[in-house]
């Protein structure tokens, strides 16, 4: 029951700030609609979710109060924000910081770039399975081989994201990421929308976060990808040191 309630909360969080219907939430969380509605009703009674007049669900006020207590232990965005802003300013692309949560990444910080055309794939709160977005691929590629094997034993990304995200294709991209140090998503989520990312490591040397850049395909030509990759790796290296202290 706790696992299903957590899946409901994650689905609601991923739909912020627009909200989500009961039907769409049930589909996203992999639950029958009556089950999803029952869980939503129970969570609403505790102010963990709220429902507006149009019937859409959003996160509740109690979650904010709970997060205040957790922030002192887990909040890192204050130290990360300057690096994300610097990436956006120096590249003109949209820059992001994502955190690993189990077999997923969740975007926790975003900064729009100055270039007028943007990809609009990422936003704060959105979740992707590892290896789907460039941030998750960067993290997955820096895990030990046994952990990568364990991931594929649990998760089949192609079921939700298409054949380009089948295990053989992802393993090819993992190998490329390990060679360069940074991950590239060549428009596999939304055609024409590219992403690049570098892993950020915690005090145990594990890839716990990722910095990423997204933009339109014409901004990610081969020669510029090397430049962007070097910038990502430099900022990721600095952040890894800062977040370990």
């Amino acid at each position: 029951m706790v696992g299903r309630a957590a899946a409901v909360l994650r689905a609601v969080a991923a739909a912020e700030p627009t909200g989500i219907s009961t039907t769409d939430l049930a589909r996203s969380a992999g639950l029958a609609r009556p089950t999803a509605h029952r869980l939503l009703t129970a969570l609403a009674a505790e102010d963990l979710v709220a429902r507006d007049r149009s019937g859409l669900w959003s996160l509740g006020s109690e979650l904010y109060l709970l997060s205040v207590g957790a922030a002192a232990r887990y909040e890192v965005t204050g130290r990360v924000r300057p690096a994300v802003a610097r990436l956006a300013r120096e590249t003109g692309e949209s820059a992001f910081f994502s955190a690993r949560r189990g077999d997923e990444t969740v975007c926790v910080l975003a900064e729009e770039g100055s270039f007028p055309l943007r990809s609009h794939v990422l936003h704060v709160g959105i979740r992707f399975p590892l290896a789907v977005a460039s941030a998750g691929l960067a993290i997955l590629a820096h895990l030990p081989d046994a952990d990568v094997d364990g991931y594929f034993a649990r998760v089949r990304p192609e079921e939700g994201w298409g054949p380009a995200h089948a295990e053989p294709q992802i393993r090819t991209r993992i190998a490329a990421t390990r060679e360069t140090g940074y991950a590239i998503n060549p428009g596999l989520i939304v055609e024409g929308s590219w992403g690049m990312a570098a892993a950020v490591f915690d005090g145990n040397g594990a890839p716990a976060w990722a910095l990423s850049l997204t933009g339109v395909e014409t901004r990610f030509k081969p020669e510029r990808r090397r430049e962007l990759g070097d910038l990502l790796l430099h900022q990721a290296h600095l952040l890894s040191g800062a977040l370990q202290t």
Side-chain angles (χ1 to χ4, degrees):
M1 178 65 74
V2 173
R4 288 187 292 178
V8 167
L9 287 173
R10 292 189 187 104
V12 174
E16 292 288 355
T18 58
I20 189 170
S21 69
T22 304
T23 299
D24 288 343
L25 182 143
R27 185 182 304 112
S28 176
L31 300 170
R33 191 184 186 282
T35 301
H37 187 267
R38 184 168 62 252
L39 288 167
L40 285 164
T41 301
L43 291 168
E46 301 296 330
D47 290 328
L48 294 169
V49 297
R51 197 176 195 184
D52 64 22
R53 293 181 179 180
S54 64
L56 298 179
W57 297 93
S58 59
L59 296 176
S61 59
E62 184 65 19
L63 280 179
Y64 168 75
L65 297 174
L66 291 172
S67 70
V68 171
R73 182 182 295 270
Y74 298 109
E75 173 63 34
V76 297
T77 56
R79 286 179 285 173
V80 171
R81 193 177 302 277
V84 175
R86 188 176 302 113
L87 281 171
R89 183 175 62 252
E90 293 183 1
T91 66
E93 314 302 336
S94 296
F96 304 89
F97 183 72
S98 298
R100 182 187 179 190
R101 288 295 179 267
D103 290 332
E104 296 181 317
T105 56
V106 56
C107 179
V108 296
L109 190 61
E111 184 79 24
E112 290 189 350
S114 59
F115 191 70
L117 297 179
R118 302 186 179 97
S119 71
H120 301 293
V121 172
L122 283 178
H123 58 79
V124 172
I126 194 169
R127 291 174 178 260
F128 289 105
L130 293 180
V132 170
S134 59
L137 178 61
I139 290 171
L140 188 64
H142 285 88
L143 292 174
D145 287 340
D147 289 354
V148 174
D149 293 340
Y151 171 78
F152 286 117
R154 296 186 300 273
V155 182
R156 296 177 61 86
E158 72 273 19
E159 292 182 354
W161 299 93
H165 296 93
E167 181 178 345
Q169 285 76 10
I170 292 175
R171 286 191 180 274
T172 298
R173 294 196 287 276
I174 286 174
T177 301
R178 288 175 171 176
E179 183 175 345
T180 62
Y182 53 83
I184 299 174
N185 185 311
L188 299 178
I189 299 175
V190 174
E191 186 177 359
S193 177
W194 282 51
M196 295 180 63
V200 176
F201 299 86
D202 64 17
N204 296 315
W209 308 278
L211 283 170
S212 60
L213 293 166
T214 69
V216 295
E217 182 177 1
T218 55
R219 299 276 288 176
F220 287 78
K221 299 298 184 183
E223 62 277 6
R224 191 162 189 258
R225 290 202 296 269
R226 290 189 289 272
E227 176 187 344
L228 295 177
D230 288 343
L231 284 171
L232 282 165
L233 288 172
H234 178 65
Q235 290 300 323
H237 174 71
L238 295 177
L239 270 185
S240 295
L243 295 179
Q244 289 173 20
T245 59

